[in-house]
């Protein structure tokens, strides 16, 4: 495994890999867990060479405290990557290296995908994501780039980004990896108390029941039912539960048989914000 921190070094190493047929990229913000491990393993199995980036991107945080509290665990991350494969190149640049002296995101029009759910609750979030993902894709020029379906809205936005910027890369979406109680793996789970981490199974359980109800109940009935599950819970605050189609992420009006739908949820467990989603059909 090779750790690189500057764009110049990165270019030199990538140039020496030009003859390799297939390059895979797994962009991360570090604090790696089994969800990331599954992306890296998939990338390793599908490519001749893999680059993992570790960069806590400041422009995608609308909340300063959230950014400050974001866990930084480089040593453990490198160990996890090394255990998967010793041939991986890790690019872990500083903020200055990526943004030079202008820590600012570009402004994107993702055709409305950016205005709902995470975009509605986290100001400028997807401009920040678009900016860093575009920068990394242009710097590294992978054939394939891997993203988790836990951030399904992000995944669809990155697909749109690639279309808008005409980037020659295949975006690979990977299934959500869950803790034994169903809670979606996330770096934020580390910030939950043991009890809350256990109780947070309610998020996935609600989604599973929503899926069961989807065949017979209306979206409104299902959303109301989920709202009720969280209403009286002292430790949770439901931010949203929305059923949308997967392509445009618009709230469902009338179910159409040829369309795919998902339920999306965001919940505060005390001050820790958790998101999850499930395919309904
Ligand atoms: O999903 C993440 O970890 C981040 O949003 C990403 C894609 C690495 C961009 O900073």
């Amino acid at each position: 495994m090779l750790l690189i921190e500057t764009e110049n070094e990165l270019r030199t190493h990538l140039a020496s890999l030009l003859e390799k047929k297939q390059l895979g990229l797994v962009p991360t913000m570090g604090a790696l867990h089994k969800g990331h491990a599954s992306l890296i393993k998939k990338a390793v199995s599908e490519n001749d060479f893999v680059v993992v980036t570790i960069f806590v991107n400041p422009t995608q945080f609308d909340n300063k405290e959230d950014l400050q509290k974001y866990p930084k665990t480089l040593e453990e991350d490198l160990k996890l990557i090394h255990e998967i494969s010793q041939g991986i190149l890790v690019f872990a640049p500083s903020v200055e290296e990526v943004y030079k002296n202008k820590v600012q995101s570009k402004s994107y029009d993702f055709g409305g995908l950016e205005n709902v759910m995470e975009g509605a609750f986290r100001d400028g979030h997807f401009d920040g994501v678009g900016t860093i993902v575009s920068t990394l894709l242009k710097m590294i020029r992978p054939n394939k780039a891997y993203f988790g379906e836990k951030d399904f809205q992000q995944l669809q936005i990155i697909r749109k980004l690639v279309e808008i910027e005409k980037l020659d890369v295949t975006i690979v979406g990977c299934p959500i990896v869950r803790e034994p109680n169903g809670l979606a793996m996330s770096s934020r789970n580390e910030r939950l108390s043991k009890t809350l981490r256990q109780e947070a199974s309610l998020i996935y359980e609600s989604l599973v029941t929503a899926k069961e109800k989807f065949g017979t109940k209306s979206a409104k009935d299902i959303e109301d039912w989920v709202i009720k599950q969280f209403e009286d819970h002292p430790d949770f605050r439901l931010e949203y539960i929305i059923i949308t189609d997967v392509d445009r992420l618009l709230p469902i009006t009338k179910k159409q048989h040829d369309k795919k739908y998902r339920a999306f949820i965001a919940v505060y467990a005390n001050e820790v914000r958790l998101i999850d989603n499930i395919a309904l059909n």
Side-chain angles (χ1 to χ4, degrees), residues 27-29 57 60 129 132-133 147 151 154:
T28 81
M29 297 209 295
N57 174 35
Q60 69 187 76
V129 171
I132 188 61
V133 172
F147 298 87
D151 298 294
Q154 167 175 282

Side-chain angles (χ1 to χ4, degrees), residues 93-277:
S94 64
V95 172
E96 295 70 39
E97 186 67 25
V98 172
Y99 283 99
K100 313 298 175 219
N101 48 11
K102 208 169 171 203
V103 186
Q104 204 176 314
S105 47
K106 281 186 259 171
S107 180
Y108 284 99
D109 176 354
F110 294 116
L113 291 174
E114 73 279 30
N115 298 329
V116 293
M117 301 187 285
E118 293 306 284
F121 286 94
R122 301 176 69 186
D123 206 21
H125 173 65
F126 287 120
D127 279 340
V129 171
T131 302
I132 188 61
V133 172
S134 161
T135 303
L136 294 173
L137 289 175
K138 286 173 186 163
M139 249 185 215
I140 297 163
R141 303 220 216 137
N143 302 90
K144 289 182 174 185
Y146 296 77
F147 298 87
E149 286 186 346
K150 182 173 84 68
D151 298 294
F152 191 84
Q153 185 177 10
Q154 167 175 282
L155 176 63
Q156 297 301 64
I157 281 178
I158 290 168
R159 289 193 165 119
K160 187 80 184 172
L161 171 79
V162 164
E163 191 187 307
I164 295 170
E165 298 201 336
K166 299 188 175 57
L167 301 173
D168 187 14
V169 58
T170 303
I171 300 300
V172 183
C174 304
I176 300 173
V177 179
R178 299 185 178 279
E179 298 195 356
N181 70 349
L183 178 65
M185 293 268 177
S186 163
S187 311
R188 290 162 191 248
N189 296 355
E190 298 302 324
R191 288 167 56 196
L192 299 170
S193 69
K194 212 172 160 215
T195 320
L196 210 51
R197 194 160 173 163
Q198 226 20 69
E199 286 176 351
S201 60
L202 178 60
I203 299 171
Y204 181 54
E205 282 158 16
S206 306
L207 289 179
V208 170
T209 309
K211 185 182 173 103
E212 282 162 15
K213 288 179 183 286
F214 190 69
T216 53
K217 303 271 185 227
S218 72
K220 167 94 176 60
D221 283 349
I222 298 170
E223 288 163 2
D224 286 348
W225 179 86
V226 175
I227 291 168
K228 258 191 133 350
Q229 306 314 298
F230 288 91
E231 226 160 44
D232 302 322
H233 206 297
D235 296 326
F236 294 123
R237 181 168 66 77
L238 179 70
E239 192 165 59
Y240 62 74
I241 168 75
I242 307 179
I243 296 178
T244 78
D245 68 283
V246 298
D247 297 323
R248 300 187 59 206
L249 303 180
L250 290 176
I252 183 170
T253 41
K254 194 167 171 284
K255 274 182 221 169
Q256 287 172 257
H257 291 295
D258 55 340
K259 278 195 172 178
K260 294 271 177 229
Y261 298 97
R262 274 190 183 242
F264 295 87
I265 192 166
V267 175
Y268 275 95
N270 283 341
E271 84 289 3
V272 184
R273 191 169 181 281
L274 303 170
I275 60 168
D276 200 348
N277 68 85

Side-chain angles (χ1 to χ4, degrees), residues 23-47:
L23 175 59
L25 168 66
V26 184
T28 81
M29 297 209 295
L32 303 183
H33 48 68
K34 286 185 184 151
H36 295 110
S38 77
L39 301 184
I40 300 171
K41 283 179 191 159
K42 190 166 168 62
V44 167
S45 74
E46 293 182 358
N47 297 277

